[in-house]
Amino acid sequence: MAILVNLDVMMAKRKISAGELSEKIGITPANLSILKNNKAKAIRFSTLEEICRVLDCQPGDILEYKKD
Amino acid sequence: MWNPGKSVTTSSVCTKIVILLVIGSAFAAPYLVKSYVSFAAKNPEIIGPLLATFYACSVPGLVALFCLDRLLANIKKKDVFIEKNVKYLRVISWCSFAVSAILFLSGFYYLLFLLIAVAAAFFGLILRVVKNVIEQAVAIKNDNDLTI
């Protein structure tokens, strides 16, 4: 996959658990797991906005483009 | 009060009744065909071919009915846009084409079968298009499910 989600890196930096994050951004733990494990096919701007707000970061801190 | 759940149950019950009717008529076929030939004053020589056509069509017919039953069971479980349903629709469509082919060949000794062959082929074609639509819907649903 060309776009990688580095959510766990940011979560570790902010010392926040998956359960807490999912609750704060308003998605299910199952969906957060899909996102964390790079299984997601797309991410809504609203979800990205919430993640950035809760983790106090930029989209570029979470998403990374990697050539195949 | 009438609701979609009851509608699916009605379809499921009807499918099961038709399955039983097809199995029952398979046992009664020799008697039914003989009665039809004597009633319609047809040549008794066509009893054999008529029975052969009936039994040949019963096999894909039963396969299609069993697939329909499974399809309805999935719909009842709210599993509509899944790969299995696409497979069931594909099988039903091919069964219709198989029946159409058998009836087309039977049309050489009994012309009326050609009409039913065209109807079966048309039905198979419609089902194929429905299958294509469901196939696309499954892909869209998968994309949607993986959009967080």
Side-chain angles (χ1 to χ4, degrees):
Chain A
M1 178 169 266
I3 300 287
L4 291 176
V5 181
N6 295 318
L7 199 57
D8 28 12
V9 178
M10 211 58 207
M11 281 167 66
K13 275 185 189 171
R14 299 289 184 259
K15 293 187 177 65
I16 188 169
S17 69
E20 196 184 340
L21 181 65
S22 64
E23 200 178 306
K24 280 185 175 171
I25 61 178
I27 62 170
T28 62
N31 278 347
L32 185 68
S33 168
I34 290 170
L35 202 57
K36 264 176 61 184
N37 296 321
N38 284 298
K39 295 273 192 292
K41 287 199 174 180
I43 180 164
R44 289 189 188 91
F45 279 154
S46 56
T47 311
L48 192 57
E49 194 183 322
E50 280 301 299
I51 292 171
C52 290
R53 185 184 61 78
V54 173
L55 295 178
D56 188 27
C57 63
Q58 291 298 313
D61 297 330
I62 304 161
L63 303 175
E64 179 195 348
Y65 172 70
K66 213 170 195 177
K67 273 188 182 172
D68 284 327
Chain B
M1 193 74 181
W2 190 252
N3 59 43
K6 282 180 185 167
S7 172
V8 174
T9 307
T10 309
S11 304
S12 184
V13 169
C14 288
T15 307
K16 284 182 174 77
I17 290 170
V18 175
I19 289 173
L20 289 176
L21 277 175
V22 171
I23 293 171
S25 55
F27 286 108
Y31 171 76
L32 289 173
V33 169
K34 264 182 209 163
S35 306
Y36 168 71
V37 168
S38 61
F39 175 77
K42 299 277 180 194
N43 184 355
E45 276 179 14
I46 68 161
I47 288 177
L50 272 178
L51 274 174
T53 302
F54 179 83
Y55 285 121
C57 288
S58 292
V59 178
L62 275 175
V63 172
L65 283 166
F66 277 116
C67 286
L68 201 61
D69 189 51
R70 294 292 82 216
L71 186 68
L72 286 164
N74 284 340
I75 293 170
K76 219 186 239 180
K77 285 188 279 180
K78 311 267 184 222
D79 290 333
V80 183
F81 301 112
I82 55 171
E83 281 294 330
K84 262 188 178 177
N85 287 352
V86 174
K87 195 186 91 182
Y88 289 140
L89 282 171
R90 186 185 298 125
V91 171
I92 297 170
S93 165
W94 279 113
C95 285
S96 296
F97 286 127
V99 167
S100 173
I102 294 163
L103 291 175
F104 177 77
L105 292 174
S106 306
F108 287 106
Y109 72 84
Y110 195 61
L111 210 59
L112 199 68
F113 280 144
L114 284 177
L115 271 176
I116 311 169
V118 171
F122 190 63
F123 181 67
L125 193 64
I126 291 171
L127 268 176
R128 222 179 145 66
V129 174
V130 172
K131 184 218 82 171
N132 291 338
V133 171
I134 299 286
E135 209 165 24
Q136 283 299 313
V138 169
I140 292 168
K141 187 188 176 285
N142 286 342
D143 268 5
N144 196 42
D145 285 349
L146 292 174
T147 298
I148 312 298

